[in-house]
């Protein structure tokens, strides 16, 4: 029986950190945020998204607006950013092994689909987008129900603590990656099912374990 593997987008399939940093330096001051330096960014990377929002001084009621503005500002740079090195070959191998692949992201579905098409990432035709920063758990549960599979036969691959928490809430398995926004040592404290230091490690996880 095949396993469904869903990938986060930012930081997991594409290294979007520079695009996000540039966009925030443009947009952040409009929301009352102090200029963000590279040094401060590195300190924030080990924090949960809610802690980051608090540290930056963004009121929660303005967070959806900030996220929308950020996505728009990032789009052009993001489209020109290459996928994570080696991820295309890993996706191809997972497809050959019979696994069903897709993307679940807080980014707009149309933008993610355009990126996948432009960079020819194989097997990622199913894109669930626009989940919001903290709406992934519900989306994971809905995906399991719509596909008629047990949640434990679904693996979510991501790079943030909020991704891990969403997987836990939805009772799906989680693969933490080392090449994204949050350092792997921070993700490891949440007890992910799998830890991947390189994209090829995704080929070694026990995706068939019920």
């Amino acid at each position: 029986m095949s396993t469904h593997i869903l990938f986060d987008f930012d930081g997991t399939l594409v290294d979007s950190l520079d695009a996000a940093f540039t966009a925030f330096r443009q947009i952040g001051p409009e929301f009352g945020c102090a200029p963000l330096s590279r040094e401060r960014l590195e300190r924030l990377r080990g924090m949960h998204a809610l802690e980051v929002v608090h540290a930056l001084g963004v009121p929660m009621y303005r967070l959806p607006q900030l996220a929308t503005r950020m996505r728009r500002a990032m789009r052009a740079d993001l489209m020109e950013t290459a996928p994570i090195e080696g991820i295309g070959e890993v996706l191809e191998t997972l497809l050959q092994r019979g696994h069903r692949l897709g993307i679940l992201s807080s980014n707009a579905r149309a933008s993610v689909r355009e990126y996948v098409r432009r960079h020819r990432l194989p097997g990622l035709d199913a894109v669930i987008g626009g989940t919001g920063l903290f709406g992934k758990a519900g989306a994971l549960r809905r995906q399991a129900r719509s596909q008629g599979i047990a949640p434990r036969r679904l693996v979510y691959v991501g790079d943030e603590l909020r991704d891990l928490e969403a997987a836990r809430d939805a009772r799906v398995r989680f693969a933490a990656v080392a090449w994204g926004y949050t350092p792997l040592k921070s993700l490891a404290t949440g007890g992910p099912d799998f830890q991947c230091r390189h994209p090829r490690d995704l080929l070694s996880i026990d995706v068939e374990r019920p």
Side-chain angles (χ1 to χ4, degrees), residues 34-66:
L36 182 63
S37 66
R38 285 283 183 181
E39 292 74 19
R40 191 180 185 203
L41 175 63
E42 287 303 312
R43 292 195 297 271
L44 294 174
R45 289 180 67 177
M47 297 182 182
H48 188 282
L50 285 173
E51 294 176 312
V52 173
V53 170
H54 179 74
L56 293 174
V58 181
M60 287 300 294
Y61 77 91
R62 299 197 70 186
L63 187 57
Q65 182 184 7
L66 174 61

Side-chain angles (χ1 to χ4, degrees), residues 105-154:
S105 172
S106 55
N107 287 60
R109 182 172 181 265
S111 295
V112 176
R113 288 179 64 87
E114 171 62 17
Y115 184 92
V116 168
R117 184 198 65 78
R118 185 177 296 194
H119 293 277
R120 300 180 180 179
L121 292 176
L124 297 175
D125 299 322
V127 176
I128 304 164
T131 63
L133 290 178
F134 304 105
K136 291 184 175 182
L140 287 169
R141 285 191 290 268
R142 289 190 294 273
Q143 180 68 5
R145 287 197 301 268
S146 69
Q147 296 299 318
I149 60 174
R152 295 295 291 176
R153 295 214 65 83
L154 178 60

Side-chain angles (χ1 to χ4, degrees), residues 23 28 36 45 48-49 73 94 98 103 144 150 155 160 190:
L36 182 63
R45 289 180 67 177
H48 188 282
L94 289 171
I103 297 174
V155 177
E160 290 190 53

Side-chain angles (χ1 to χ4, degrees), residues 62-128:
R62 299 197 70 186
L63 187 57
Q65 182 184 7
L66 174 61
T68 298
R69 293 286 305 280
M70 285 282 294
R71 284 193 289 270
R72 290 175 182 169
M74 288 173 61
R75 191 179 189 281
D77 284 348
L78 200 58
M79 288 298 168
E80 299 303 321
T81 303
I84 297 296
E85 185 176 359
I87 199 68
E89 293 84 349
V90 167
L91 294 173
E92 188 64 49
T93 301
L94 289 171
L95 281 174
Q96 292 170 1
R97 293 180 180 180
H99 302 301
R100 301 177 65 178
L101 311 181
I103 297 174
L104 189 150
S105 172
S106 55
N107 287 60
R109 182 172 181 265
S111 295
V112 176
R113 288 179 64 87
E114 171 62 17
Y115 184 92
V116 168
R117 184 198 65 78
R118 185 177 296 194
H119 293 277
R120 300 180 180 179
L121 292 176
L124 297 175
D125 299 322
V127 176
I128 304 164

